[in-house]
Amino acid sequence: MDNARAKPKSNKELEAYADQLWESVEVSALGDTAFEALSDVVVDCTYDGKILRANIIFGDLVGLPLEQIIGQPCEQFDFLRNNEIPRCEKKITSQSGTEIWFDRLQLSMREPKNGDIFIRVIGRDITQQKHTEAALIEARHQAEEANAAKSRFLAMVSHEIRTPLNGIMGMGRLLADTNLTAEQRNYTESMISSSEALLLLVNDLLQFGREDIAANRINPEPTFIAPLIAGVVELLADKAHKKDIDLGYGLSADLPEKLNIDAGRLRQILFNIIGNALKFTSKGGVRIDVSFCDEHLRIRVEDTGPGIALEHQASVFEPFEQVENTFSRTHDGAGLGLSIAKKMANAMGGDIFLESKVGEGSVFTLGVRATPLIEAKKKEFLNETVLICARKGFEADLICELAARSGMHVLHTTSISEMREIANQWPYPSKIIIDQRLTDMAPLEQIEFALPNCQIIALITPEQRGTIGAAFKAAEHGFLTRPVRPSTALQVFANEIPMAKYTNNAALTVTENSEPKNYKVLLAEDNPINALLACKLLERASCHVTHVTDGAQAVEKLNAQHDYDIVLMDLHMPVMDGLTAIKAIRQNEEERGEKSATILAVTADNQISTNNAIMAAGASGILEKPFNIDALKIALEAKTASMG
C-alpha cells in the first residue's frame, strides 16, 4: 500500500535538520557507527535510485538483512517510493502485518570523504501520534453527535412539556374569567400559579442544558428600553402585591430612549434577577434603578430581603446552588436563575455584581454593553406642588424622586389625617396621590375634601381598576396602577392624560366609539386542547378562526382562499409538519405571483437552531408557547399593521 501525504516544512527547519544529520556523520571517520546509532529509519540512496546503505531499523522494517538491501532499487521498497516529495507522512505495512505511519524526510547530502552527492531518506515512527489524532477526531465526532442528540432531546422535551402546560395554564385563565365561587376561584388560582411555577422551572432547566449562551449567539437589535423594563416589572408585579411588598423602578434622566441591545437576553436576565429578589423578600420591597454610563446599560436591583453572608455570595451564581441548601429550606427552586443570568450578561459583554449584608438586604448590579440610538428627551419643568400620601418604602421614594426631578415641590406623608391637614395649607397641592393601602375610606370620601383645581389620584393594584379606579374616574379624578410607570406619572403630573380616559399605566386606551378589528385567522394545530384554547383566545380578540389539524390542510386552505390576515402554524403535526407547510405555501405564492401571507410559527421549542430553521423556511415570525391573549393581540396588531 502506498500512502503518502505531503507535509510542507520551512526551508530553515529542513536545513537545521540536515545540518544535525551531517554533523552526526562527521563525528568520526567511521560514519557507519553514527549511522547505525540513529533511532529513526535511515536509508541513503544514489541519484539513480539505488540503495547505498541503510541502518538496521530499516532492515527490521522490511524483514531483510542489510547485505541483501544494499544495491537494490529504491522502488522495490514502499518506504522509498514517491521520492519527488521532500516531506510527507507515509503509511506502510511491516513484514509482521502491522500498519506503521512515518514522518518521512529526504535530503540531498554530500559524502564527507569524496564529496559525492547522495539522497538520505529518514523516517520517524509517528504511529502513536496518528492513533491519538484519530482518537481525537472520533471523540470530536462523538461529541458533535452527542450535542446533536442533546439538541433533539431538548427540543422534544420542550415541546412535550410545554404543550400540556400551555393547555393547563390557558384553560385555567379561561376558567378564572368565568363566574366562580370563592372556593372555586381559590382552586383555579392555585392551579394557575402552580403551572406557572412549573413553567419557570422547565424554562430554567432547558436553558441551562443548552450551549447557546455564547457571544456569537447574541443578537443586538434596536430596543426601546423603558417599555422593556416596564414589561418585566409589570409581569412580576403580582408576586409583590400578593406579598404586600413594594415594587418599583426609576429611569435616570440621561437614559437613552433607544439602545442597540439583545432585548430577549436582557429581558430574561432581568426576569431572573428581579424574580429572585421578590422570591426572598417578605417585608419592604424591591427597587430597580436604570441608568446608562460609559457605553453600558446599568440596572441596579435592590431588595430588603434577608441578605447573603459574604462566604455564600460567590456561590449564588453557581448552578444548583442556594444559600438555603438544606432539607429545611423555605424557598423552592433549582438554583439556576442567577447562574443563567450571569452567563448571559457575560456573553453580552458585561457582568452581574452582588453587594449584600445579612439582615440588610442585597443589591444586584447588572452592566451590559449597549449602543445608544436615540438619546433621552429633555423633560418639562413643572412648577407645581404634589402631595403624596403613601407608606414609607421604595414605591413612595421613587414617586417622590420622579416628581422632584420634574421640578415639582414634593410633600410626603404616611398618614391620611396628616394628609388632610397639609392639603389645606400653603402651598396648596395641585395633585394628591393616595396609596389605597393606607385607607378603607370609600373613593368619594377621599375626594370630598379636595380643594378646587386639585386632582386626587388613587394609587391602586391592577385588580382595583374596575372598583376604586372606576369610582375615581367617574368622579373626574384619576388613578395610577402599581407598579407606576414613570412616563405615565409624568403625564399625569403635566395634565397630559384626561382623567376620564386613562385607566392604567399604558396611558390612553381605545375610545368607546372605536370598533375592534375582525381578523381572519387560519389556525393549524393538531392538539385538540391547544386548538380549543387558541380558538377561544382568538375569538376574544375579535377574530374569525378557521381551524385545520395538519400542515397539508393549511396549504389547501390557503390555495383555495388566500385572504387570511394571519396564519398560526404549529410545527409538530401529522401528515405534513409546519416547516414543510410553510415552504409549500411560499412556493405556491411565488408560482402564482401572490402576496406573501403573514405566517407565525407557533412552537414550544425556543432553541436558536429551531428559530433559524423556522425563519429560513419563510415564516414571518414566531409565537412561543404558552401564549396568552395579550401575546396574541400584540402579534396580530404587529403583523397586520402594514396591511391596513
Side-chain angles (χ1 to χ4, degrees):
M1 180 183 291
D2 188 5
N3 284 281
R5 298 180 186 172
K7 187 172 183 179
K9 203 74 173 179
S10 68
N11 291 333
K12 186 176 181 180
E13 188 173 349
L14 287 172
E15 290 172 3
Y17 197 12
D19 290 342
Q20 183 182 5
L21 292 171
W22 179 257
E23 291 170 1
S24 70
V25 174
E26 291 184 328
V27 168
S28 69
L30 298 176
D32 290 343
T33 304
F35 188 82
E36 292 295 342
L38 295 173
S39 61
D40 298 326
V41 172
V42 183
V43 183
D44 290 346
C45 305
T46 64
Y47 259 87
D48 59 357
K50 302 290 184 178
I51 296 177
L52 282 173
R53 52 185 166 267
N55 67 354
I56 195 170
I57 307 297
F58 181 73
D60 292 340
L61 177 66
V62 298
L64 293 173
L66 294 180
E67 56 268 20
Q68 294 184 21
I69 295 173
I70 305 303
Q72 296 296 321
C74 294
E75 287 296 318
Q76 182 177 329
F77 302 98
D78 188 17
F79 177 77
L80 299 175
R81 295 192 187 111
N82 295 337
N83 57 9
E84 70 278 0
I85 303 175
R87 183 79 180 271
C88 66
E89 291 180 351
K90 193 172 183 66
K91 183 175 72 172
I92 67 172
T93 304
S94 68
Q95 291 298 310
S96 62
T98 304
E99 289 187 343
I100 305 175
W101 278 93
F102 286 97
D103 179 8
R104 198 190 73 169
L105 172 69
Q106 67 180 41
L107 302 162
S108 293
M109 301 190 71
R110 192 181 299 276
E111 291 282 3
K113 293 181 179 180
N114 56 24
D116 291 345
I117 296 174
F118 65 93
I119 296 173
R120 173 158 291 178
V121 183
I122 308 149
R124 177 161 293 175
D125 189 339
I126 58 169
T127 305
Q128 185 58 46
Q129 177 184 332
K130 299 299 291 185
H131 288 169
T132 302
E133 289 177 358
L136 289 174
I137 292 172
E138 178 62 23
R140 184 176 65 182
H141 176 71
Q142 291 180 2
E144 290 171 350
E145 286 291 324
N147 281 334
K150 185 176 73 171
S151 296
R152 292 192 296 270
F153 172 75
L154 289 173
M156 181 272 293
V157 169
S158 180
H159 178 266
E160 295 302 324
I161 294 180
R162 285 180 176 174
T163 296
L165 265 178
N166 178 54
I168 295 170
M169 293 173 63
M171 289 301 177
R173 291 190 180 112
L174 289 177
L175 182 60
D177 289 339
T178 63
N179 294 323
L180 301 174
T181 65
E183 183 179 11
Q184 291 170 335
R185 184 166 299 280
N186 184 46
Y187 296 155
T188 302
E189 290 175 353
S190 297
M191 177 181 67
I192 295 172
S193 63
S194 296
S195 60
E196 288 174 344
L198 179 58
L199 179 62
L200 288 176
L201 178 60
V202 169
N203 287 342
D204 280 349
L205 289 172
L206 291 175
Q207 184 65 64
F208 181 76
R210 296 194 180 106
E211 298 295 335
D212 60 2
I213 306 178
N216 61 346
R217 301 289 188 177
I218 299 303
N219 300 304
E221 58 183 345
T223 303
F224 286 100
I225 291 300
L228 185 149
I229 302 295
V232 173
V233 174
E234 289 168 10
L235 186 63
L236 293 167
D238 188 56
K239 298 179 183 295
H241 297 158
K242 286 179 179 178
K243 300 173 79 170
D244 194 27
I245 60 176
D246 284 358
L247 175 63
Y249 68 98
L251 309 176
S252 69
D254 58 353
L255 178 70
E257 284 194 22
K258 197 174 189 180
L259 294 173
N260 193 46
I261 198 168
D262 190 325
R265 300 291 191 199
L266 178 60
R267 189 178 290 109
Q268 185 167 354
I269 291 171
L270 292 178
F271 191 85
N272 288 2
I273 296 176
I274 300 171
N276 187 76
L278 289 170
K279 176 180 177 180
F280 290 97
T281 301
S282 57
K283 293 181 181 179
V286 176
R287 169 178 177 150
I288 302 101
D289 290 281
V290 187
S291 61
F292 188 81
C293 181
D294 298 330
E295 302 299 317
H296 278 73
L297 176 67
R298 301 190 185 278
I299 302 177
R300 183 179 184 273
V301 180
E302 180 181 359
D303 67 61
T304 57
I308 303 171
L310 183 61
E311 60 267 25
H312 296 304
Q313 290 182 17
S315 64
V316 298
F317 293 108
E318 296 298 324
F320 305 106
E321 289 292 336
Q322 293 186 336
V323 176
E324 291 184 314
N325 211 4
T326 64
F327 290 112
S328 60
R329 62 191 176 123
T330 56
H331 298 91
D332 295 327
L336 288 172
L338 292 179
S339 173
I340 293 170
K342 190 174 181 68
K343 283 185 178 181
M344 288 186 173
N346 294 156
M348 294 173 69
D351 208 343
I352 303 173
F353 303 96
L354 168 63
E355 301 173 61
S356 184
K357 289 185 179 180
V358 175
E360 298 183 16
S362 302
V363 177
F364 287 86
T365 303
L366 166 69
V368 290
R369 294 189 63 84
T371 304
L373 298 178
I374 300 178
E375 296 295 337
K377 291 182 179 178
K378 291 184 178 180
K379 304 296 189 297
E380 292 186 14
F381 190 82
L382 306 173
N383 188 20
E384 296 185 22
T385 298
V386 59
L387 172 57
I388 300 170
C389 181
R391 70 185 192 185
K392 289 183 179 179
F394 288 146
E395 284 184 299
D397 292 344
L398 286 164
I399 296 173
C400 290
E401 291 169 11
L402 179 65
R405 286 200 305 271
S406 302
M408 303 186 78
H409 176 58
V410 180
L411 303 172
H412 179 218
T413 179
T414 59
S415 165
I416 295 292
S417 60
E418 187 177 0
M419 176 199 70
R420 288 176 176 272
E421 295 178 9
I422 297 174
N424 290 284
Q425 298 175 5
W426 180 261
Y428 301 117
S430 60
K431 302 282 189 304
I432 299 177
I433 299 175
I434 304 175
D435 187 346
Q436 297 302 296
R437 293 174 294 179
L438 295 179
T439 179
D440 293 327
M441 289 191 300
L444 290 178
E445 292 182 53
Q446 300 179 52
I447 295 169
E448 63 182 8
F449 73 91
L451 295 175
N453 300 320
C454 178
Q455 292 179 331
I456 308 298
I457 301 166
L459 187 59
I460 62 173
T461 62
E463 292 77 20
Q464 295 172 320
R465 287 174 180 150
T467 53
I468 297 175
F472 272 83
K473 189 173 71 171
E476 297 187 350
H477 288 268
F479 64 86
L480 285 172
T481 306
R482 301 170 45 231
V484 176
R485 285 194 179 188
S487 58
T488 304
L490 288 174
Q491 288 178 299
V492 171
F493 293 158
N495 299 317
E496 294 178 3
I497 299 181
M499 291 295 109
K501 288 190 177 181
Y502 76 85
T503 60
N504 55 40
N505 290 338
L508 295 177
T509 58
V510 179
T511 59
E512 294 181 359
N513 295 328
S514 62
E515 296 181 359
K517 297 179 181 178
N518 295 309
Y519 299 105
K520 290 185 66 175
V521 179
L522 175 61
L523 172 67
E525 169 64 71
D526 65 312
N527 185 287
I529 296 176
N530 285 331
L532 174 61
L533 172 62
C535 287
K536 291 296 183 183
L537 291 175
L538 289 165
E539 289 168 2
R540 290 188 177 189
S542 303
C543 297
H544 175 71
V545 186
T546 300
H547 173 226
V548 296
T549 58
D550 62 64
Q553 294 178 17
V555 175
E556 292 175 5
K557 284 288 184 183
L558 277 171
N559 285 342
Q561 184 179 350
H562 200 269
D563 62 346
Y564 291 98
D565 293 310
I566 201 163
V567 179
L568 300 181
M569 184 78 69
D570 187 34
L571 291 191
H572 300 271
M573 293 183 292
V575 184
M576 181 184 289
D577 63 79
L579 286 180
T580 305
I582 293 171
K583 292 176 182 177
I585 292 168
R586 295 306 188 211
Q587 184 176 353
N588 291 341
E589 290 171 341
E590 186 176 348
E591 291 174 354
R592 299 181 181 185
E594 295 175 329
K595 184 178 179 180
S596 296
T598 300
I599 305 175
L600 292 185
V602 183
T603 177
D605 178 8
N606 63 355
Q607 293 190 100
I608 290 179
S609 57
T610 302
N611 293 348
N612 291 341
I614 291 171
M615 301 310 294
S620 308
I622 300 169
L623 191 61
E624 187 175 323
K625 295 179 181 178
F627 52 79
N628 53 37
I629 186 64
D630 294 327
L632 278 174
K633 285 181 178 178
I634 291 171
L636 287 167
E637 291 169 1
K639 291 300 177 182
T640 58
S642 60
M643 300 178 184

